[in-house]
Amino acid sequence: MTSNVLPIFRNIQAVLFDLDGTLVDSAPDLAGAVDKMRTDRGLSSYAPERYRPMVGAGARGMLGIAFDMQPDHPDFAAMREEFFVNYERRLTQETYAFEGVSELLAQLVARSLSWGVVTNKSERFAIPLTQSMPLFATAGAVVGGDTTPHAKPHPEPLLEAARRLGLAPERCVYVGDDERDIVAGRAAGMATVAAAYGYLGHNTDVERWGAHAAIHSPLDLLNCLPSGQALNGLK
């Protein structure tokens, strides 16, 4: 039934997802990569949870926590590359899909909906990570932060994903756990869903992002799509 589904979701043919914090929890591997830099230098190890709030900020966030280092530091570029190399060596060592993601993706396929990934993670990491996890076997597109000349919140990566799926942007919905995801999705002309889980801080108010709907677990997304039973919509 579609009676409870907002009009913007009724003709959806594909679902695009952010990666980190939306489909998978990569925080343990990102934290492990940067924390190794601390222990290699004889510094004490930090608990993984200390890094988690800054996972969405990438190398800048991880190095900021581990070494209180900002991008204008003269050693930042070298330290960032060391972090990247460490991360490459353990891309999926402790990374896992959030509970319900596998079932969600299976349901999308069963409903004949295409799906893909649009992440700001560079292809250097996004491609091998998704290729190494069976979860992504049915993905129709994987677009990284450097696949196009622009990264989110610019809409171009989302538009590229729609092109790869052979669909108009308005036939796609974009799901992400960061305000930049919602900004990019709306700019691309897509329906948008805020994933209110993952790396969000306790004080984050997703209603301020302007998404068309919000979900509190991956499987909640099914309620927003045609043949769902309910909708957690935002005005």
Side-chain angles (χ1 to χ4, degrees), residues 29 87-93 95 121 124-125 128-129:
D29 281 318
Y87 181 52
E88 279 180 314
R89 290 173 177 165
R90 55 174 302 158
L91 268 178
T92 58
Q93 186 173 312
T95 292
K121 214 181 197 75
R124 174 179 177 179
F125 310 111
L129 187 155

Side-chain angles (χ1 to χ4, degrees), residues 76-140:
F76 183 83
M79 295 284 277
R80 179 179 58 191
E81 181 58 24
E82 182 180 343
F83 166 65
F84 285 165
V85 170
N86 284 353
Y87 181 52
E88 279 180 314
R89 290 173 177 165
R90 55 174 302 158
L91 268 178
T92 58
Q93 186 173 312
E94 296 182 81
T95 292
Y96 59 91
F98 286 111
E99 183 178 357
V101 166
S102 293
E103 184 179 346
L104 167 63
L105 299 180
Q107 286 287 332
L108 295 182
V109 173
R111 296 184 187 190
S112 298
L113 293 171
S114 301
W115 72 278
V117 173
V118 182
T119 174
N120 272 0
K121 214 181 197 75
S122 69
E123 288 191 350
R124 174 179 177 179
F125 310 111
I127 299 302
L129 187 155
T130 54
Q131 288 179 343
S132 67
M133 296 181 71
L135 179 77
F136 297 95
T138 57

Side-chain angles (χ1 to χ4, degrees), residues 9 67 101 198 210 220 234:
F9 292 106
F67 300 102
V101 166
D220 286 347
L234 298 180

